[in-house]
Amino acid sequence: MASRRAVNLSLTLLLLHLSILLSPSASEFGQFCDAGVGYGESACGVSGGSSKILIKGGTVVNAHHQEVADVYVEDGKIVAVKPNIKVGDDVTVLDATGKYVMPGGIDPHTHLAMDFMASQTLDDFFSGQAAALAGGTTMHIDFVIPVKGSLIAGIESYEKKASKSCMDYGFHMAITKWDDDVSREMEVMVNEKGINSFKFFMAYKGALMINDELLLQGLKKCKSLGALAMVHAENGDAVFEGQNRMIELGITGPEGHVLSRPAVLEGEATARAIRLAAFVNTPLYVVHVMSIDAMEEIAKARQSGQRVIGEPVVSGLVLDDSKIWDPDFITAATYVMSPPIRAAGHDKALQAALSTGVLQLVGTDHCAFNSTQKALGIDDFRKIPNGVNGIEERMHLVWDTMVESGKISASDYVRITSTECARIFNIYPRKGAILVGSDADIIILNPNSSFEISAKTHHSRLDTNVFEGKKGKGKIEVTIAGGRIVWINGELKVAPGSGKYVSMPPFSYLFQGMDKADAAYLSSLRAPVKRQISTE
Ligand code: URP
Ligand code: ZN
Ligand code: ZN
């Protein structure tokens, strides 16, 4: 039986090898391989696996349930989930006995091929996604940056960038200025382009930053469109002041980055955004929650019944700021991101908040700049491009930090790495579930196997890795994306152009009942008061 399975798999892979060599995209793919992405020969020749796959005997984990069952996949979809599924010889069979079979990760926060701080992030929609697949993430949502404020020009540029995708992806849209055109274009994004979330940067003064007046306009527009407002919450004016203070003190190295934007500024902006969202009565999503200060504001708001989502990122969950003080510039600069990675203690508090439901899902903020790019800030920390990696490491690190340590269950793991993201962005249960009819985006994790992270072996184009040397238990041995085996036996089998854009409709569950809250607000006003002029 085992040898028949092996023959089936080899035959299928051979056929796919031949078909990709004959396909029109083969030369383009060859170009990527020549460019030295380092995925080995198999990556250059094989586009995937059989369209029929049976995963046998694993523990199938969903966000609210787990059971031992087989999973049968055909033409990119999950067709059956039940014990003892029988199949014919044309099916690739994967034995998952003793392993977990879970929905592929969905990363809600990435920046692939993003023009930022006089550079462009090194991982594009092929290399970043290939890295993601090797780490068990099968979909990501990237932030479109408008071109000179134009959302249409922005999305056109990102549609081009994403044409080489090898896994499914969606878009958020940043809002960087406000006028009638932007307001109209937001409607186009939601009604025609499948975007249901807009990000407002409260920091990066002089570049992406918006003010409170714009944020209010944006929140109102998001509410009317059923789109989720997202904030990068740091007080950008105060950060600017902090940066000048550091430069005046002669602190020009990477530590100046951390010292110029303390957690209190993240807490203040988080509180402000939360209060403005409450004033407008619209849901709010706080990206990259890095500090206790911001987390506690989210906890307070949720306790009061406000719909606020908090997203920690893997760097904030498992790292502390110690490397920022390293005497080697590149080592320290590698860890520069905003909001900064905080002092020890914040990481553990964010983990606890995640395990108790104060924070809901984990992203990466994957924003890859290599040593040469980081060196742009050798004389001035303000010029170090902000951003760290995580797209490939998130699934392993969250399993090891949260599940292996006993903080959360396997079902919770599925919820915070996949299902909750799918629900928030309104694509559940197509994504984020192992259910009949869901997309066949699946991982097989061996809890008894271990991983070790290194820039020498990762699939990103980066020459550094902020998680260098981290080891843990729980290895993702297989990734299936869109019904194709794309990661198996430590090998990637990906082809540019095989990923699909996932359109995300507005009015997710976060908007349900908001109209009732609006009606309650209006009736609570006891106004306008009908008055008459007294005749006495
Ligand atoms: O340092 C970061 N976070 N870079 C990416 C841009 C952002 O703020 O999300
Ligand atoms: Zn941000
Ligand atoms: Zn980001």
Side-chain angles (χ1 to χ4, degrees):
M1 184 66 183
S3 64
R4 198 184 72 196
R5 270 187 229 128
V7 171
N8 278 346
L9 185 59
S10 323
L11 269 175
T12 313
L13 295 180
L14 180 66
L15 284 172
L16 282 160
H17 196 121
L18 288 171
S19 73
I20 190 80
L21 286 174
L22 296 171
S23 80
S25 62
S27 60
E28 194 195 355
F29 200 8
Q31 222 183 323
F32 280 102
C33 294
D34 292 340
V37 289
Y39 308 141
E41 212 188 328
S42 62
C44 300
V46 186
S47 72
S50 161
S51 70
K52 298 175 182 178
I53 304 166
L54 179 68
I55 307 167
K56 270 209 90 55
T59 301
V60 177
V61 188
N62 277 302
H64 302 291
H65 183 64
Q66 64 180 65
E67 62 182 324
V68 174
D70 299 347
V71 180
Y72 180 59
V73 166
E74 206 174 296
D75 295 332
K77 293 280 178 193
I78 295 170
V79 172
V81 183
K82 58 185 182 185
N84 297 319
I85 299 174
K86 301 273 180 283
V87 291
D89 285 352
D90 59 338
V91 175
T92 302
V93 180
L94 302 170
D95 184 3
T97 309
K99 302 176 186 176
Y100 290 104
V101 178
M102 301 186 278
I106 309 176
D107 187 341
H109 187 157
T110 60
H111 301 282
L112 301 183
M114 177 206 200
D115 296 311
F116 187 50
M117 296 189 71
S119 255
Q120 185 178 84
T121 57
L122 204 58
D123 277 327
D124 61 18
F125 279 79
F126 182 68
S127 70
Q129 293 183 351
L133 291 167
T137 287
T138 51
M139 178 181 168
H140 70 113
I141 314 179
D142 210 84
F143 289 88
V144 174
I145 307 297
V147 175
K148 297 193 183 98
S150 162
L151 314 195
I152 306 274
I155 196 152
E156 281 170 2
S157 142
Y158 271 73
E159 279 165 353
K160 275 197 204 99
K161 292 182 194 199
S163 60
K164 61 175 78 160
S165 287
C166 56
M167 80 184 202
D168 289 1
Y169 62 96
F171 286 141
H172 313 288
M173 172 67 71
I175 300 296
T176 53
K177 73 167 197 184
W178 192 259
D179 57 27
D180 287 347
D181 288 340
V182 172
S183 175
R184 260 192 306 276
E185 288 183 355
M186 282 176 76
E187 294 169 20
V188 175
M189 293 304 122
V190 172
N191 298 326
E192 295 171 29
K193 294 290 184 181
I195 288 180
N196 68 3
S197 49
F198 295 94
K199 179 174 176 184
F200 302 88
F201 288 91
M202 299 168 80
Y204 304 124
K205 191 176 164 99
L208 300 170
M209 180 172 142
I210 50 87
N211 60 20
D212 286 356
E213 186 186 358
L214 192 156
L215 181 56
L216 270 169
Q217 295 303 327
L219 289 169
K220 278 190 341 195
K221 191 74 190 179
C222 280
K223 178 185 169 85
S224 74
L225 293 170
L228 185 56
M230 310 174 85
V231 282
H232 171 131
E234 285 185 291
N235 186 317
D237 287 318
V239 167
F240 185 69
E241 188 62 31
Q243 289 174 327
N244 290 341
R245 188 191 294 169
M246 290 309 128
I247 297 295
E248 276 162 26
L249 289 169
I251 303 170
T252 57
E255 68 280 13
H257 176 77
V258 171
L259 295 170
S260 64
R261 44 208 314 153
V264 65
L265 302 188
E266 190 188 342
E268 186 279 331
T270 305
R272 187 159 30 104
I274 286 173
R275 281 158 179 72
L276 293 180
F279 178 64
V280 173
N281 188 32
T282 197
L284 183 72
Y285 182 113
V286 184
V287 306
H288 47 43
V289 177
M290 298 295 281
S291 64
I292 296 172
D293 307 51
M295 179 269 286
E296 285 182 342
E297 294 299 337
I298 293 166
K300 258 193 293 179
R302 287 177 64 85
Q303 229 162 24
S304 77
Q306 196 178 336
R307 296 177 190 195
V308 180
I309 301 292
E311 170 213 82
V313 291
V314 66
S315 49
L317 280 173
V318 308
L319 299 174
D320 62 42
D321 71 352
S322 46
K323 291 276 198 221
I324 281 284
W325 310 94
D326 197 284
D328 176 63
F329 172 82
I330 293 298
T331 303
T334 298
Y335 289 80
V336 166
M337 67 169 287
S338 295
I341 297 167
R342 304 294 181 188
H346 290 269
D347 49 350
K348 295 280 183 303
L350 296 174
Q351 290 169 23
L354 195 55
S355 64
T356 53
V358 169
L359 302 173
Q360 290 70 46
L361 73 168
V362 183
T364 62
D365 198 4
H366 185 81
C367 187
F369 295 109
N370 67 11
S371 304
T372 313
Q373 293 171 303
K374 290 280 183 181
L376 288 170
I378 186 88
D379 298 320
D380 183 343
F381 67 84
R382 295 171 299 181
K383 298 190 179 138
I384 301 171
N386 289 195
V388 304
N389 62 293
I391 202 166
E392 183 169 357
E393 297 80 10
R394 177 184 73 129
M395 297 293 280
H396 282 114
L397 288 171
V398 173
W399 179 272
D400 184 60
T401 308
M402 302 298 290
V403 185
E404 188 58 31
S405 68
K407 290 187 180 69
I408 61 171
S409 66
S411 274
D412 286 333
Y413 172 78
V414 167
R415 177 173 52 76
I416 65 176
T417 58
S418 183
T419 311
E420 193 52 35
C421 183
R423 290 184 68 231
I424 289 168
F425 297 103
N426 220 4
I427 48 173
Y428 181 86
R430 172 179 169 194
K431 300 285 186 189
I434 305 236
L435 293 173
V436 172
S438 298
D439 284 0
D441 295 341
I442 301 169
I443 58 171
I444 303 177
L445 182 145
N446 184 347
N448 299 314
S449 195
S450 51
F451 67 87
E452 179 167 356
I453 296 169
S454 173
K456 292 194 187 77
T457 50
H458 70 198
H459 298 82
S460 157
R461 288 184 180 148
L462 277 181
D463 58 346
T464 57
N465 190 317
V466 286
F467 307 106
E468 184 69 38
K470 283 211 177 284
K471 296 179 188 154
K473 273 191 88 181
K475 175 96 182 75
I476 292 155
E477 294 182 337
V478 178
T479 305
I480 297 171
R484 286 169 294 119
I485 298 168
V486 291
W487 170 250
I488 191 164
N489 300 327
E491 274 185 33
L492 265 172
K493 303 159 193 309
V494 289
S498 55
K500 287 196 234 33
Y501 178 64
V502 179
S503 185
M504 296 180 284
F507 292 104
S508 73
Y509 82 94
L510 289 166
F511 286 83
Q512 277 173 23
M514 294 303 266
D515 49 340
K516 295 200 174 75
D518 286 336
Y521 164 75
L522 289 176
S523 64
S524 75
L525 293 179
R526 298 187 297 123
V529 175
K530 286 207 177 73
R531 294 193 172 83
Q532 47 279 332
I533 296 170
S534 167
T535 49
E536 281 172 31

